[in-house]
Amino acid sequence: MILIAGWVIAIPVPFLLMWAPSWNWILLANLFLGISQGLTWSTTVIMKIDLAGSQNRGTAMGINEFAGYFAVGLAALATGWIATNYGLRPQPFYLGVVFVVAGLLLSVLVVKETKGHATQEATLSSQTLQILPSQKDIFWQTTWRNPNLSAISQAGLVNNLNDGMAWGLFPLVFATAGMSFTQIGTLAAIYPGVWGICQLFTGALSDRIGRKWLIVVGMWVQAVAIALIIIYNSFAWFMCAAILLGIGTAMVYPTLLAAIGDVVNPAWRASTVGVYRLWRDMGYAIGALLSGVIADVLVLSQ
């Protein structure tokens, strides 16, 4: 039901964006989109963890994130082409209508409930099943008290801070460097496309070699990619940076989600994933705000 509710809430988003007469409509669309994404993506992550089991958790997260972000890359490429050939509004947002309808129909007609799998796994878990912690206790354990969970949450926030700045600031940097709409759309597609494809391998790799060093190395690869965008000013270098940024993010993203499943009891795993995603996706908001401030300070939009 939560998955279906998330898609229902997404229904107004493409229409608000294509018909928006003012910035307030854009803000409202983002509000609906944020609520929808929080419900739909969190639910699909939790359901795949429920189905995969402990031995294939990273693989399942890699497949989930591959599907999501490879689709983001294709959508960015398609909307860039549509905007170049037909205009910025409303044509690119017709794709959004198709996506919402498809997601809602699949959720209603195809997807099955997985809560029973988590309940069964909890009875087989080596962790002692005690009284279900309160939501407050789960929040503070994930945020601060449990060293593993708090470190995972902090790493997720920083990762998405980078991602938020990439979506908010990099297109302005590319435009200022003289890139065309098509080139900007291509660069916007390369990053999530590489990110999505590589997660098919990095998620599975984390099941075999462990989580920690994939996370550490991935964060450093992201840092190198951002530095390249700052230093250089050509399409070729921007493309190399987008590829590196996608690889680094792919090393981190599914691995952090799998690590959450390693630490907590399946009985309250869904709540813990929710708190982790609160902090991880706060990085999007922080990154977007920072990119706006930086753009104003550097007058990138002029």
Side-chain angles (χ1 to χ4, degrees), residues 136-220:
K136 179 180 178 181
D137 188 52
I138 292 172
F139 175 84
W140 286 114
Q141 286 287 343
T142 308
T143 302
W144 184 254
R145 292 175 187 162
N146 185 300
N148 283 332
L149 292 176
S150 65
I152 290 168
S153 297
Q154 291 168 28
L157 187 148
V158 172
N159 180 83
N160 277 20
L161 186 152
N162 292 339
D163 193 34
M165 291 193 69
W167 286 111
L169 189 60
F170 288 174
L172 297 176
V173 174
F174 300 151
T176 303
M179 301 295 106
S180 67
F181 277 148
T182 301
Q183 288 176 316
I184 293 172
T186 301
L187 292 168
I190 288 172
Y191 164 44
V194 171
W195 173 2
I197 292 171
C198 288
Q199 285 178 122
L200 285 173
F201 305 98
T202 57
L205 186 61
S206 75
D207 286 332
R208 288 156 179 77
I209 68 171
R211 322 288 188 200
K212 178 178 178 178
W213 287 108
L214 272 176
I215 295 169
V216 172
V217 174
M219 296 299 288
W220 277 107

Side-chain angles (χ1 to χ4, degrees), residues 21-198:
S22 69
W23 184 247
N24 288 334
W25 282 47
I26 305 297
L27 295 178
L28 182 61
N30 276 274
L31 176 63
F32 279 119
L33 183 60
I35 295 171
S36 172
Q37 210 248 7
L39 295 176
T40 55
W41 206 312
S42 292
T43 305
T44 57
V45 165
I46 292 164
M47 294 172 80
K48 284 187 177 67
I49 293 176
D50 290 343
L51 293 170
S54 59
Q55 299 302 313
N56 299 300
R57 195 169 285 136
T59 301
M61 291 300 91
I63 293 172
N64 182 78
E65 302 303 309
F66 156 76
Y69 287 99
F70 187 67
V72 170
L74 291 178
L77 189 61
T79 53
W81 182 84
I82 293 172
T84 299
N85 290 277
Y86 298 100
L88 293 175
R89 286 201 306 172
Q91 288 86 350
F93 299 104
Y94 293 158
L95 285 177
V97 177
V98 174
F99 297 155
V100 171
V101 171
L104 182 57
L105 289 177
L106 287 170
S107 298
V108 172
L109 301 176
V110 179
V111 176
K112 306 298 182 182
E113 179 60 61
T114 65
K115 184 177 179 181
H117 292 77
T119 302
Q120 177 66 17
E121 188 182 347
T123 64
L124 302 174
S125 175
S126 60
Q127 301 179 47
T128 303
L129 182 59
Q130 300 172 340
I131 298 174
L132 186 70
S134 67
Q135 290 298 313
K136 179 180 178 181
D137 188 52
I138 292 172
F139 175 84
W140 286 114
Q141 286 287 343
T142 308
T143 302
W144 184 254
R145 292 175 187 162
N146 185 300
N148 283 332
L149 292 176
S150 65
I152 290 168
S153 297
Q154 291 168 28
L157 187 148
V158 172
N159 180 83
N160 277 20
L161 186 152
N162 292 339
D163 193 34
M165 291 193 69
W167 286 111
L169 189 60
F170 288 174
L172 297 176
V173 174
F174 300 151
T176 303
M179 301 295 106
S180 67
F181 277 148
T182 301
Q183 288 176 316
I184 293 172
T186 301
L187 292 168
I190 288 172
Y191 164 44
V194 171
W195 173 2
I197 292 171
C198 288

